[in-house]
Amino acid sequence: MKQLISLWILFCIAIAPFAQAEGLRSLRGSEVMNGDVPSENFRWEKDRRPLPRHFVQQPPIIPHTTKGYLITKEFNKCLDCHSWDRTADTGATKVSITHFKTRGGTELTNISPRRYFCQQCHVPQTDAKPLVGNTFQPAAGLVKQGNTK
C-alpha cells in the first residue's frame, strides 16, 4: 500500500508541469496568470437617485461615478459624504449601522475594518454589457407590479 501511494505521489509530481493553466483566458480575453485587464468598454452613469435593489441583502449600487476615489487604510473618499456626521450637509445616504459591528456583533464607534473598503460589496452603476448571459429575475416582493427593471 505504501508503495502504491509513493507511486501515485511521484506520478502527480511528474505530470504537474503539464497540468499548468497555460493558455487559459479570462472572459475579458486576458491571460489568467497576468490578472484582469481593466475594462474601459462602458460609460459611467450620471449621478442619480439610489437604484432599486433586486434581492434581499443586496448591497446598494452606487448611483454615481467613483473614478479617482481614493480608498486606503488611512483614507476613504466615500466617507467624505456618507459618514454619519456629513450626510446632513451632503444629502448622501448614511453608512448602514451594520457597518459599525464586528463579525461577532460587537458595536464599534467607527466603521468596522471588514466594512471599510466599500467596493468589496458596493459597485458603481455603468452601462457595461454582461460578460456572460444572465436570466436573473428580481425577487417578486421587491419589485413594483409592472416594473421589472
Side-chain angles (χ1 to χ4, degrees):
M1 185 66 175
K2 286 183 181 180
Q3 188 177 14
L4 184 60
I5 292 172
S6 297
L7 284 173
W8 177 251
I9 291 172
L10 284 174
F11 173 74
C12 291
I13 291 171
I15 67 163
F18 303 106
Q20 298 283 330
E22 292 181 33
L24 189 61
R25 295 193 148 322
S26 75
L27 292 173
R28 291 190 180 137
S30 62
E31 292 287 330
V32 172
M33 297 303 187
N34 295 336
D36 236 355
V37 175
S39 175
E40 292 297 330
N41 297 330
F42 64 87
R43 281 182 307 110
W44 294 99
E45 294 287 332
K46 293 186 185 322
D47 289 5
R48 61 164 120 173
R49 296 185 53 72
L51 301 164
R53 300 183 199 190
H54 295 293
F55 58 91
V56 176
Q57 300 298 327
Q58 175 188 352
I61 296 174
I62 302 169
H64 58 80
T65 183
T66 58
K67 192 169 188 162
Y69 276 38
L70 179 65
I71 300 176
T72 68
K73 64 181 185 176
E74 288 87 24
F75 179 77
N76 184 328
K77 176 67 175 165
C78 301
L79 296 178
D80 280 357
C81 297
H82 294 278
S83 64
W84 279 49
D85 60 342
R86 298 278 301 140
T87 57
D89 298 332
T90 64
T93 304
K94 284 181 185 177
V95 173
S96 169
I97 192 72
T98 61
H99 289 50
F100 291 83
K101 293 184 181 181
T102 65
R103 182 176 297 160
T106 305
E107 289 193 19
L108 304 172
T109 58
N110 208 338
I111 291 185
S112 172
R114 69 188 189 110
R115 301 287 189 115
Y116 182 78
F117 295 96
C118 308
Q119 290 185 358
Q120 291 179 133
C121 301
H122 304 277
V123 295
Q125 180 68 34
T126 69
D127 69 348
K129 303 294 178 253
L131 294 173
V132 295
N134 184 356
T135 59
F136 176 80
Q137 294 294 316
L142 296 177
V143 179
K144 292 180 183 176
Q145 293 297 331
N147 183 14
T148 60
K149 291 197 175 193

